[in-house]
Amino acid sequence: MAKIVVSLDGHIIEQRVVKEELLMLGRNADCDMVMDDGEVSGRHASITTVVNDHFLEDLSSTNGTLVNGRRITRHLLEHNDVIFIGPYRIKYMNAASAGVGFDRTQIIRPLEPRVSPANTQVVAAELDSAAASTRATRARFPKGKLVITSGSSAGSERLIDGLLLPVGREGRALGVINRRPLGCFLTQVSGRTLVLNGKPLGRDPVQLNDGDEIVVGRDKLVFRNV
């Protein structure tokens, strides 16, 4: 189970296990983790749980969200990642993602970054090496694409070439497609149940086959191997 350790000005102020399907971070009082600082947006970022993994998403914040010193929009969290939100530092720890976990059978374990005494910069060479190793391994995973046949984006396609591709919208119906060594897998995350080939999707990941139809809210998508 994943754990996060929050520090401010070099002092640990909170430690918690990530049990929520969606963990909201920001300055607003209704956030799951409230960060009371002017550099933090009202709803700054979120952490979504997908089985044993978590992905971090910046919610169009004013000052941005960084992981290991680099600005991100959406990021699959790795063991010992350090998240930067304003003056706050959040260390993510997840033993399941450090070895041969659910989605990471052949993902090379990243090097643990060393943070400077000021805790604001990360040693670039180590991060580049870890990122290059992960990209090289990920490139060997099977790819796919989604052909949108119905909905507001009908006729368009989305290539599945990253490790995770969210489908749907938070608060309505949200799922994620995950590339693994054996193929692409679809997992329900939150909201209304996704439908796969006319049947409700359960809570466990399901491997996608060429021609499978996914219904997410009002949108219909067809999965194709690439």
Side-chain angles (χ1 to χ4, degrees):
M1 188 171 289
K3 175 182 177 181
I4 53 177
V5 179
V6 185
S7 61
L8 180 65
D9 298 327
H11 301 286
I12 294 175
I13 60 172
E14 184 176 354
Q15 300 185 52
R16 67 188 293 166
V17 173
V18 184
K19 297 182 291 186
E20 301 89 345
E21 287 188 354
L22 179 72
L23 181 70
M24 190 68 63
L25 297 81
R27 198 175 67 250
N28 288 353
D30 61 349
C31 288
D32 301 296
M33 181 176 291
V34 178
M35 300 175 168
D36 189 14
D37 188 275
E39 294 184 26
V40 180
S41 296
R43 287 177 173 263
H44 195 105
S46 65
I47 297 175
T48 302
T49 300
V50 182
V51 190
N52 291 328
D53 288 297
H54 301 85
F55 68 87
L56 171 71
E57 183 173 5
D58 180 80
L59 302 176
S60 300
S61 64
T62 300
N63 294 312
T65 302
L66 285 74
V67 176
N68 302 332
R70 295 182 178 180
R71 190 161 184 159
I72 60 95
T73 299
R74 183 179 288 113
H75 174 79
L76 175 65
L77 289 167
E78 299 281 355
H79 183 58
N80 281 330
D81 272 352
V82 179
I83 305 166
F84 297 71
I85 296 180
Y88 294 86
R89 305 292 176 262
I90 305 170
K91 186 170 184 178
Y92 172 83
M93 292 177 285
N94 185 359
S97 73
V100 288
F102 141 78
D103 289 324
R104 307 166 187 270
T105 309
Q106 296 181 17
I107 289 284
I108 296 173
R109 181 176 179 175
L111 296 174
E112 180 177 339
R114 295 197 307 268
V115 181
S116 69
N119 204 27
T120 57
Q121 296 180 343
V122 179
V123 179
E126 289 194 356
L127 287 173
D128 289 343
S129 175
S133 296
T134 301
R135 284 195 299 268
T137 303
R138 187 174 63 192
R140 297 195 294 269
F141 288 8
K143 296 181 180 180
K145 67 178 180 179
L146 293 175
V147 180
I148 304 173
T149 59
S150 177
S152 58
S153 300
S156 62
E157 298 182 356
R158 299 174 66 186
L159 182 64
I160 306 169
D161 59 352
L163 198 60
L164 287 175
L165 176 68
V167 291
R169 295 183 179 180
E170 183 59 46
R172 297 182 183 178
L174 179 64
V176 64
I177 295 176
N178 174 231
R179 287 174 60 216
R180 307 192 206 173
L182 296 179
C184 295
F185 287 72
L186 175 66
T187 305
Q188 174 87 34
V189 175
S190 63
R192 295 197 300 269
T193 302
L194 276 64
V195 176
L196 178 63
N197 297 326
K199 297 180 180 179
L201 185 68
R203 302 302 298 182
D204 295 327
V206 176
Q207 184 171 6
L208 293 172
N209 297 307
D210 190 69
D212 280 351
E213 183 183 71
I214 306 166
V215 178
V216 185
R218 298 180 180 178
D219 295 335
K220 290 184 179 180
L221 311 93
V222 175
F223 173 79
R224 294 295 183 188
N225 293 320
V226 174

